[in-house]
Amino acid sequence: MEKREVYDTKINESLSILLKSLENHDTIKAYKKIEKKIDEHDGLKEMVEEIKQLQKEAVKFAHYDKPNAEKEVLRQADELQETFDKHPLVLEYRECLVEANDLLHHLTSLLQSQVNESLEKLLNEKE
C-alpha cells in the first residue's frame, strides 16, 4: 500500500469517528429532535404553506399593478410570519440551531488550526 493510500485511509477513519461523535453530541441530538418535531407539526407546515401562497399572490398583484391588494396580502403574510416566528417550537429550533452552528464553527476552527500547524511543521522539516 502506498504512503498516500495509508494517509487517506487514516483521514477517512478519523472523519468517520468525528462524524459519529458529532451525531452523539447532546447539542446535535437536541437540534435533530426539535427539527423532527417541527417537520411533524401540521400547524407549522400549514402556516409555511399559507405564507408562501400569500407571497405568490402578492407577486401576482404586483404584476397586474394592483398595489392595494398587494399591500394587503403582504400585510397578511407578515402577520402570519410573525405568528410563526413566535411559535415556541420555532423559537426552540432557532436556539438549538445557533448552538449547533457554534459547535460546528468551533470544531471547524479547531481542525483548521491543527491542519495549519501540521502543514507548517512539514514545511519547516523540508527546509
Side-chain angles (χ1 to χ4, degrees):
M1 199 180 274
E2 279 185 42
K3 190 175 184 179
R4 180 180 169 92
E5 288 175 348
V6 171
Y7 191 68
D8 288 347
T9 302
K10 286 182 180 181
I11 289 173
N12 286 331
E13 288 172 359
S14 296
L15 184 59
S16 292
I17 292 168
L18 177 62
L19 291 173
K20 200 166 281 273
S21 295
L22 269 174
E23 281 181 21
N24 293 320
H25 194 282
D26 289 341
T27 302
I28 302 301
K29 283 182 178 179
Y31 169 76
K32 286 183 176 184
K33 183 179 176 182
I34 193 67
E35 183 180 41
K36 185 177 180 185
K37 280 183 183 178
I38 285 182
D39 286 344
E40 294 172 350
H41 194 285
D42 290 335
L44 290 175
K45 283 183 192 176
E46 289 172 15
M47 263 192 254
V48 169
E49 288 307 312
E50 193 173 342
I51 291 167
K52 287 179 184 178
Q53 190 58 43
L54 290 168
Q55 290 170 338
K56 286 178 184 178
E57 286 180 33
V59 170
K60 287 179 188 176
F61 288 136
H63 178 73
Y64 292 112
D65 198 30
K66 296 186 176 196
N68 291 338
E70 176 190 8
K71 188 175 178 180
E72 175 58 24
V73 169
L74 285 175
R75 184 197 62 73
Q76 291 173 12
D78 288 345
E79 193 175 284
L80 197 55
Q81 182 69 49
E82 189 174 326
T83 301
F84 178 85
D85 290 342
K86 289 181 180 178
H87 191 282
L89 282 178
V90 173
L91 294 172
E92 186 179 351
Y93 171 80
R94 288 186 175 146
E95 187 177 307
C96 287
L97 180 61
V98 167
E99 290 175 13
N101 281 339
D102 287 348
L103 173 66
L104 294 174
H105 179 73
H106 174 71
L107 182 61
T108 302
S109 295
L110 190 62
L111 287 170
Q112 183 179 12
S113 176
Q114 289 177 355
V115 167
N116 286 341
E117 284 178 24
S118 295
L119 289 174
E120 285 180 29
K121 282 182 184 177
L122 283 173
L123 289 174
N124 288 336
E125 288 174 6
K126 289 186 177 186
E127 289 179 357

